[in-house]
Every structure is written in C-alpha cells, then in structure tokens.
Amino acid sequence: VLCSTFGLACFLGTRVFGLDRKTSMLIGAGSSICGAAAVMAAEPVVRGRAEQVMVAVATVVVFGTLAIFLYPVLYHLVAQYRLFDLSPTAYGVFAGSTIHEVAQVVAAGRAVGEQAANTAVIAKMVRVMMLAPFLIILSAYLSRSSAKDADAADGADEGNASPRGGVVIPWFALGFVAVAGLNSLALLPHAVVTQLIDIDTVLLAMAMAGLGLTTHISAIRKAGIKPLALAAVLFVWLVCGGFAINAGITALLN
C-alpha cells in the first residue's frame, strides 16, 4: 500500500495534475505513511517550501478526517449486506494500513470496537516504522537524480561544473528507530513514557504552529484545487486499492 500510493502520487501529481515534484512527493508521503508527521519529516529530504508543506498537511487533515466517518460506515454496510467477509480484525488491518494519521486510525477503529482499534493501531505502527527506511531511500534517489541532472548540465556546458547534491541523511529518522527500539525493550517506567508522549505532542504542535507562521494563505490559495484533487484520487486508491491489496494478501496467507 505504501509503495503503490507514493508511486501513484508522484506519477499523477506531475504527469496528470501538473504539480511540481516536491508537492507531489509531500502529498504522497502524507497519504502513504503517517500523515502530517511524514510530510514534515520528508520536507528536509525533498527540500520543500513552507507553503508546499502546508498544502500537503491540509490534504492529510481533510481526507484523514473524512476517513474517520467513512470507514465505520463502510464496515457496517458490508456487515449488513454481507458483501464481504470483513471481521473486526480484518477491518482493523484495513484501517491501519490505509488511514493517514495515527489518531484518525484510533478513532475509526474504536467506532467499530476495541478489537478493531487494537488491530488498527498495530497495523498503523508497522507503517510508521517504515518512515525511516522510506526517507533514506527517498534521499538516495533524489541525490542520484540530482547527480544525473548535474551531469547533463555539465555535458551542455563543459566550462562550468555543476555542484553535486549529496545524500541527505535524515538523522531524526534514525533517532526514531533508536527510540522505537528502546521503547520496545520497556526499560522506561510507564509514567515516564506517558510524560514523554505528552511532550512530543506539544513539540509537534509547536512545529505545526511555526510552519503556519511562515506560510501565507495566498500561497495555499495559489496552489489551487489540484493538490486536493490529487489527494482525493489517492484517498480513493487507499480505500479501494488498499482493500483489494489487503484482501489479496489475506487470501494468499489462508
């Protein structure tokens, strides 16, 4: 789901909707991994501008919020008309692997039941764990792409050598993996972990506020309807394509 969603975002964003590559990648990162956190984590890697980040975050908020209400409705419709064999556990995996934000996943899961919510959170955490390797691979790809562009420029103008862009190592992503591993060992008391999570929430809110202070509404308005249209297509893919992928994997395992 992650790879297909991000690839679809890059292709449709640049080829169909005429968006720049950075905006397409940021929207794709937010839709495919973990919402606003993924957008902000990808920003230094793709070297996006503040308004591009804000547009991508806005799309995550809009369609992630829509998913909170849509997914439980779909579950009850499927159960009522017996369209598919969708258990609470299967629904949890589906929700966790396709909804944007962790909080949105929890809300959509709890609307069905505790079992669905627990499964959804586990599935979502698997996606979140993919953030670090995703950023490293994306950084390597962009660095290689920049090197090819520089070689082409050097070939056209041999007198002026173009600077090569190095791989942007997302140290915070490596720190994320380290902290996740430390938390998995359960070395810290639960009270300390709870306080750290509260601090994390405050820091993320401060980062979002800082992003808003550097962004003008006119820049978002200038982006037009195309980013929302791309995010809408990705949302449809997450619902329909994500369900098909989950159903296919389940069929292979059973």
Side-chain angles (χ1 to χ4, degrees):
V1 176
L2 188 159
C3 296
S4 61
T5 303
F6 184 75
L8 194 64
C10 294
F11 177 79
L12 293 179
T14 56
R15 301 291 182 86
V16 177
F17 294 102
L19 296 171
D20 60 272
R21 187 171 70 165
K22 293 180 180 180
T23 300
S24 300
M25 285 185 171
L26 290 172
I27 293 175
S31 298
S32 60
I33 306 178
C34 54
V39 173
M40 298 181 69
E43 182 270 331
V45 176
V46 303
R47 296 183 173 91
R49 299 188 303 274
E51 58 268 23
Q52 293 171 322
V53 176
M54 203 64 183
V55 167
V57 169
T59 64
V60 169
V61 172
V62 169
F63 291 101
T65 303
L66 177 61
I68 295 176
F69 302 98
L70 178 63
Y71 275 57
V73 171
L74 291 177
Y75 172 79
H76 291 299
L77 286 176
V78 169
Q80 180 178 353
Y81 294 101
R82 298 181 180 179
L83 301 176
F84 306 101
D85 183 16
L86 189 63
S87 65
T89 300
Y91 168 82
V93 174
F94 169 55
S97 62
T98 55
I99 297 179
H100 303 69
E101 298 269 7
V102 175
Q104 296 161 353
V105 168
V106 173
R110 286 182 177 173
V112 170
E114 195 66 28
Q115 181 181 359
N118 292 337
T119 307
V121 170
I122 294 173
K124 183 61 178 178
M125 287 300 102
V126 173
R127 284 174 70 192
V128 173
M129 287 296 295
M130 295 303 296
L131 178 61
F134 166 80
L135 292 175
I136 293 173
I137 294 172
L138 179 61
S139 177
Y141 167 76
L142 292 177
S143 175
R144 185 175 181 181
S145 178
S146 298
K148 288 183 178 179
D149 292 341
D151 289 339
D154 290 345
D157 187 5
E158 296 181 358
N160 297 318
S162 301
R164 299 316 196 254
V167 176
V168 179
I169 300 177
W171 296 108
F172 55 88
L174 300 180
F176 168 80
V177 174
V179 172
L182 177 63
N183 186 55
S184 300
L185 296 176
L187 298 177
L188 297 176
H190 178 71
V192 174
V193 174
T194 302
Q195 291 178 354
L196 290 175
I197 292 175
D198 291 339
I199 294 173
D200 171 74
T201 302
V202 173
L203 293 177
L204 180 59
M206 291 174 62
M208 295 295 292
L211 181 63
L213 290 173
T214 59
T215 304
H216 297 284
I217 298 298
S218 58
I220 300 177
R221 190 184 301 114
K222 184 179 178 181
I225 196 66
K226 291 181 179 180
L228 279 176
L230 172 60
V233 173
L234 295 179
F235 180 65
V236 172
W237 165 250
L238 286 170
V239 175
C240 301
F243 181 82
I245 292 173
N246 277 281
I249 293 176
T250 301
L252 289 175
L253 295 177
N254 293 335

